[in-house]
Amino acid sequence: MTAPLSELPSHVPADLVRHFDLYAPIESADDYQTWFTKLQAAGTPDIFWTRHNGGHWVVTRGEDFEHVLKNPETYSSRVNVVPRERLMPIVIKPIQLDPPDHTRYRNLLIPAFSPKAVVPLGEKARALTIELMEGFHSRGQCEFVSEFARRLPIGIFMDMVALPAADREQLLEWVDEMIRPTQVDSLEAGNQLMQYAFNKLQERRAEPGSDLLSVLTQAQVDGKLLEDEELIGMFFLLLLGGLDTVAAMLSFIVRHLASHPEARRELIEHPERIPAAAEELMRRFPISTLVRVVTQDHDYKGIAFREGDLVLMQTSAHSVDDRLFNQPLAVDFERKVVFHGTFGSGAHRCIGSMLARIEVRVFLEEWLKRIPEFRLKPDQSLRVEPGMVVAMPHLELQWDVATSRP
């Protein structure tokens, strides 16, 4: 889905305009995250304007990524998608709120993602990883995205919120259409998901259990129970954050390992390096797109920002910035990284980052034990479907069954 080109606003100079369409598929032999480094090498302005998807600013450098995300009074989360017409008819809390309101709703979710809560989820992720691998191990091949990457995180999410496994495929279909739309009018997927969430929340209000949805139906903010609209928004946040981001990241990670046997063998021979390797791989292959709306006229870096302008940041702008990282495209398992932008920054930094780290680490531990020597299916170019989450629709892997173990 590509929106028509917008008119150039009077405050945007023509020399700051560049081509950028968030929803245009990309096919090449390279990896998507190098796109920003190519822009940087070509002398592209740190911040430029695109006329696609309603017209918006695009941030290409980590320092500006940090500036925008750490100044919510100037760059608000209330519009967090391009084009703005794709905003859901409800406010998704807390992600579309700014501090201090954001903090009150975020605090309701923190216990579910605390170290105490995440450790047992990690063991469930381990068991599910092994179960999924057993389903295709003996074939010597798999389509990684559909047979593994998308099934692991949704399995964990559905366990957290006690949803029936039979609903998995429908939920994935709705999420796909919302994040990487294929139709000009794809809001129907969001409407159907809203109705699904409403029905499930009513069930939990009537018969609450110990799952996260039940906990939220009993939670209070400022002494009041959450309203249905607030609960549906939080359901959306958990669903979209839990299903798609880890699946997309795993696909990029496994593609790298499949095509870099030396990196794979380093982890096989030194499994103690896996935690550091997981962090480095997540830094190198970020997949999220963040959007903010300007709340007041101001100048930044000599650029005139006007109230209502949208500012788009892909997490790659931080994680592969050569001003922040030496040889940012290199995957170095000994890299000493204090902070990277894969999980965002500021008050809205991803609350599920600890769970994502565990899922990636568990995947590396269990996959490399069972399928140490795997490769990409020949003649397979990389196709990427950008959007609010950058993802691969397909990734074919092969291995020799004789060299692997169940």
Side-chain angles (χ1 to χ4, degrees), residues 233-305:
M234 298 184 85
F235 177 93
F236 269 49
L237 174 62
L238 293 168
L239 178 67
L240 299 178
L243 266 62
D244 214 52
T245 53
V246 173
M249 198 181 309
L250 281 175
S251 300
F252 282 105
I253 287 172
V254 80
R255 183 179 186 275
H256 175 81
L257 293 176
S259 54
H260 292 78
E262 71 287 352
R264 189 172 67 244
R265 288 174 188 138
E266 179 181 351
L267 299 183
I268 293 168
E269 295 171 5
H270 300 280
E272 73 279 3
R273 297 178 186 173
I274 285 179
E279 195 68 30
E280 171 68 350
L281 288 163
M282 287 187 289
R283 177 205 67 84
R284 177 59 178 80
F285 298 106
I287 42 76
S288 296
T289 301
L290 310 174
V291 175
R292 298 293 186 265
V293 61
V294 176
T295 63
Q296 55 191 295
D297 293 356
H298 69 283
D299 288 355
Y300 173 68
K301 280 193 170 182
I303 297 174
F305 288 80

Side-chain angles (χ1 to χ4, degrees), residues 52-118:
H52 286 277
N53 297 302
H56 58 83
W57 296 107
V58 178
V59 165
T60 71
R61 291 289 185 174
E63 64 181 353
D64 306 317
F65 177 97
E66 291 277 332
H67 170 77
V68 172
L69 294 182
K70 290 186 175 180
N71 288 281
E73 68 283 354
T74 306
Y75 308 94
S76 171
S77 296
R78 65 176 180 264
V79 180
N80 64 345
V81 66
V82 295
R84 69 182 70 228
E85 289 77 16
R86 292 199 54 77
L87 272 177
M88 295 300 299
I90 62 171
V91 175
I92 299 180
K93 299 179 179 180
I95 201 169
Q96 279 184 263
L97 298 178
D98 300 313
D101 294 334
H102 167 267
T103 306
R104 294 199 291 272
Y105 285 87
R106 182 183 173 96
N107 286 342
L108 301 180
L109 298 173
I110 286 177
F113 295 95
S114 68
K116 180 180 179 181
V118 165

Side-chain angles (χ1 to χ4, degrees), residues 333-380:
F333 295 156
E334 296 184 3
R335 187 187 298 271
K336 305 300 180 185
V337 176
V338 176
F339 175 83
H340 57 75
T342 297
F343 297 108
S345 186
H348 286 82
R349 184 165 169 79
C350 176
I351 197 171
S353 60
M354 187 180 302
L355 177 57
R357 285 182 165 96
I358 286 182
E359 289 178 333
V360 172
R361 176 175 56 78
V362 165
F363 161 75
L364 293 173
E365 291 171 349
E366 300 302 331
W367 184 281
L368 293 175
K369 282 180 188 176
R370 290 164 173 78
I371 310 178
E373 299 298 332
F374 60 97
R375 58 192 178 273
L376 298 175
K377 185 177 180 179
D379 303 320
Q380 181 180 193

Side-chain angles (χ1 to χ4, degrees), residues 124-322:
K124 291 177 181 177
R126 188 180 305 278
L128 183 54
T129 295
I130 296 169
E131 176 186 333
L132 290 171
M133 292 179 67
E134 288 175 346
F136 51 70
H137 173 271
S138 62
R139 298 203 322 257
Q141 62 181 0
C142 75
E143 196 291 291
F144 183 76
V145 176
S146 63
E147 293 190 78
F148 187 90
R150 303 186 76 216
R151 293 177 179 271
L152 174 63
I154 194 172
I156 301 303
F157 165 78
M158 296 184 79
D159 184 81
M160 290 179 69
V161 296
L163 295 178
D167 294 350
R168 179 178 59 198
E169 298 306 319
Q170 181 61 79
L171 288 171
L172 287 172
E173 181 180 325
W174 287 331
V175 168
D176 270 353
E177 189 59 35
M178 290 177 63
I179 295 178
R180 286 174 294 277
T182 59
Q183 305 172 38
V184 174
D185 182 14
S186 59
L187 290 178
E188 181 58 27
N191 292 333
Q192 290 176 308
L193 187 53
M194 285 178 59
Q195 187 61 51
Y196 177 91
F198 177 81
N199 292 340
K200 292 301 177 185
L201 289 165
Q202 299 315 304
E203 291 175 7
R204 304 306 160 81
R205 283 195 191 279
E207 296 184 41
S210 59
D211 62 280
L212 181 53
L213 284 188
S214 295
V215 170
L216 291 176
T217 62
Q218 309 302 309
Q220 297 184 8
V221 171
D222 298 332
K224 297 180 180 178
L225 291 172
L226 302 185
E227 297 179 358
D228 287 343
E229 187 173 291
E230 293 175 310
L231 287 167
I232 291 172
M234 298 184 85
F235 177 93
F236 269 49
L237 174 62
L238 293 168
L239 178 67
L240 299 178
L243 266 62
D244 214 52
T245 53
V246 173
M249 198 181 309
L250 281 175
S251 300
F252 282 105
I253 287 172
V254 80
R255 183 179 186 275
H256 175 81
L257 293 176
S259 54
H260 292 78
E262 71 287 352
R264 189 172 67 244
R265 288 174 188 138
E266 179 181 351
L267 299 183
I268 293 168
E269 295 171 5
H270 300 280
E272 73 279 3
R273 297 178 186 173
I274 285 179
E279 195 68 30
E280 171 68 350
L281 288 163
M282 287 187 289
R283 177 205 67 84
R284 177 59 178 80
F285 298 106
I287 42 76
S288 296
T289 301
L290 310 174
V291 175
R292 298 293 186 265
V293 61
V294 176
T295 63
Q296 55 191 295
D297 293 356
H298 69 283
D299 288 355
Y300 173 68
K301 280 193 170 182
I303 297 174
F305 288 80
R306 294 294 175 258
E307 182 180 355
D309 285 357
L310 298 184
V311 184
L312 180 145
M313 299 148 287
Q314 288 194 310
T315 44
S316 302
H318 189 290
S319 290
V320 299
D321 189 344
D322 60 2

Side-chain angles (χ1 to χ4, degrees), residues 323-336:
R323 295 177 188 169
L324 299 176
F325 303 103
N326 182 39
Q327 296 184 310
L329 297 184
V331 175
D332 180 1
F333 295 156
E334 296 184 3
R335 187 187 298 271
K336 305 300 180 185

